[in-house]
């Protein structure tokens, strides 16, 4: 299926690039999440996080 | 118990299920679905392209609804408006990711089938416009330094959502090079062969679950950012009060 023709190359590029873009975006969120976790560990929780009505 | 302590494990289980569905759907699409009689194996691009295209027309509506709630709540209930704003930015980013994939995979398919990377066809042009609108939405949020950035972005979101039905209807309203839709087209030639449907539907399910996961994860990140900003503002007020004493 993934031979040397243009069709085969393009099929491979589609599947690889989708995983790369989606995985890259998810990794970026995870990176920001870990970074922000370090910064805000000692802070006050939002009402929405404690489950209280605001 | 804190809500985040419950949502964390749910998110991990959801992610595991999603990756399982995507792996199964990819296996179906790449290896088990029959080869298309006209297009050959390049037809398998459709199993990723069409679900991403469909979802890139759904996430803008999440953005629209969140933006409308933001506009409604921004003076009535600022805390709720922050929640709506977090949903709006998360859905705009997910829209850009899905629309980018739709355009890119469509170009790769078009190069093989049409011999062209791009043509100014109504469907392609309206989709590019949708992508540009949501990129400009994100740029506005990133670069604007006014205190009204969230309101301006919410208003832009309302206008951007108008393009969604235009993208959907473009292949019905105008004569286009783009293939007819697989569902609801009324064209029997455009319908997908039943043997290919499982691969297609599993891919729709998998990428929809993935999109929901990204949306929730990005929303949680934005809420954490908002919380940090609230803390910084609170500390600044406390510091100014101490100085005054």
């Amino acid at each position: 299926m993934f031979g040397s023709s243009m069709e085969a190359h393009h099929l491979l590029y589609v599947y690889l690039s989708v995983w790369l873009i989606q995985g890259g975006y998810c990794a970026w969120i995870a990176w920001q999440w870990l970074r922000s976790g370090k910064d805000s560990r000692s802070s006050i929780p939002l009402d929405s996080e404690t489950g209280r009505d605001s | 118990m804190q809500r985040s302590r419950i949502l964390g494990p749910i998110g991990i289980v959801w992610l595991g299920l999603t990756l399982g569905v995507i792996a199964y759907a990819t296996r179906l699409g790449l290896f088990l679905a029959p080869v298309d009689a006209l297009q050959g194996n390049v037809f398998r691009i459709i199993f990723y392209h069409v679900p991403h295209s469909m979802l890139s027309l759904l996430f803008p509506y999440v953005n629209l609804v969140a933006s409308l709630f933001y506009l409604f709540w921004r003076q009535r209930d600022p805390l709720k408006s922050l929640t709506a704003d977090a949903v709006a930015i998360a859905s705009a980013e997910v829209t850009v990711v899905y629309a980018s994939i739709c355009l890119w995979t469509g170009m790769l398919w078009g190069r093989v089938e049409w011999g062209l990377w791009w043509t100014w066809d109504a469907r392609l042009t309206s989709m590019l416009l949708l992508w540009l609108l949501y990129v400009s939405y994100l740029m506005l949020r990133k670069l604007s330094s006014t205190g009204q950035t969230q309101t301006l972005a919410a208003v832009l979101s309302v206008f951007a959502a108008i393009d969604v039905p235009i993208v959907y209807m473009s292949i019905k309203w105008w004569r286009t090079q783009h293939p007819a839709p697989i569902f609801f087209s009324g064209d029997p030639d455009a319908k997908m062969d039943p043997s290919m449907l499982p691969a297609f539907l599993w891919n729709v399910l998998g990428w929809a679950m993935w999109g929901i996961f990204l949306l929730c994860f990005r929303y949680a990140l934005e809420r954490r950012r908002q919380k940090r900003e609230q803390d910084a503002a609170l500390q600044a007020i406390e510091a100014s009060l101490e100085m005054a004493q």
Side-chain angles (χ1 to χ4, degrees):
Chain A
M1 188 190 305
F2 298 117
S4 57
S5 64
M6 184 171 72
E7 290 87 339
H9 283 158
H10 282 219
L11 180 61
L12 185 65
Y13 295 157
V14 163
Y15 278 73
L16 287 182
S17 59
V18 168
W19 296 333
L20 202 69
I21 294 168
Q22 294 280 19
Y25 178 57
C26 188
W28 177 81
I29 302 174
W31 167 247
Q32 297 289 321
W33 178 260
L34 293 174
R35 263 184 46 178
S36 65
K38 281 178 193 165
D39 296 343
S40 61
R41 203 160 283 165
S42 61
S43 58
I44 308 156
L46 284 173
D47 286 350
S48 60
E49 286 175 330
T50 57
R52 279 192 327 222
D53 290 333
S54 53
Chain B
M1 187 187 278
Q2 281 195 352
R3 197 180 292 176
S4 57
R5 285 189 186 166
I6 305 165
L7 292 177
I10 291 173
I12 291 167
V13 170
W14 182 270
L15 176 63
L17 277 173
T18 301
L19 292 177
V21 172
I22 289 174
Y24 178 65
T26 302
R27 182 170 169 266
L28 282 179
L30 271 182
F31 303 110
L32 299 180
V35 180
D36 185 75
L38 292 173
Q39 298 182 34
N41 276 323
V42 80
F43 178 79
R44 297 178 196 279
I45 289 176
I46 300 299
F47 296 126
Y48 268 23
H49 171 75
V50 179
H52 280 89
S53 311
M54 288 165 63
L55 293 163
S56 69
L57 299 182
L58 285 179
F59 288 118
Y61 283 116
V62 179
N63 179 261
L64 172 68
V65 171
S67 299
L68 290 173
F69 273 114
Y70 173 80
L71 292 171
F72 179 75
W73 277 330
R74 74 192 168 105
Q75 286 176 339
R76 292 176 181 87
D77 190 339
L79 282 176
K80 280 185 182 171
S81 76
L82 280 177
T83 309
D85 189 57
V87 176
I89 190 165
S91 53
E93 282 189 11
V94 175
T95 299
V96 169
V97 169
Y98 275 72
S100 303
I101 289 172
C102 164
L103 288 168
W104 169 240
T105 54
M107 283 167 68
L108 283 165
W109 179 85
R111 178 70 184 86
V112 177
E113 286 301 312
W114 300 337
L116 295 165
W117 286 103
W118 185 263
T119 176
W120 294 102
D121 165 281
R123 168 56 75 87
L124 275 67
T125 308
S126 56
M127 191 67 206
L128 178 66
L129 190 64
L130 184 85
W131 182 83
L132 284 170
L133 283 165
Y134 284 94
V135 168
S136 60
Y137 173 94
L138 295 177
M139 297 281 275
L140 172 70
R141 296 195 63 123
K142 183 84 180 166
L143 303 175
S144 171
S145 56
T146 71
Q148 295 293 313
T149 303
Q150 291 153 320
T151 307
L152 291 172
V155 173
L156 174 60
S157 155
V158 175
F159 286 105
I162 294 170
D163 191 38
V164 176
I166 296 174
V167 177
Y168 181 75
M169 295 302 291
S170 58
I171 41 185
K172 294 183 179 177
W173 287 343
W174 297 292
R175 187 187 295 269
T176 66
Q177 201 166 339
H178 191 279
I182 296 163
F183 300 109
F184 316 117
S185 70
D187 179 4
D189 294 336
K191 280 186 183 163
M192 185 177 271
D193 189 84
S195 60
M196 294 170 178
L197 270 179
F200 174 74
L201 294 175
W202 276 101
N203 271 294
V204 172
L205 176 68
W207 291 112
M209 288 172 74
W210 177 257
I212 291 166
F213 170 75
L214 287 180
L215 186 70
C216 295
F217 196 10
R218 181 65 184 85
Y219 165 78
L221 174 65
E222 192 58 26
R223 291 296 284 163
R224 188 179 267 191
R225 277 189 180 154
Q226 289 174 349
K227 175 182 151 189
R228 204 171 54 194
E229 282 174 13
Q230 281 181 340
D231 286 349
L234 201 64
Q235 281 167 8
I237 292 167
E238 282 171 357
S240 65
L241 286 172
E242 280 172 16
M243 281 176 69
Q245 286 171 357

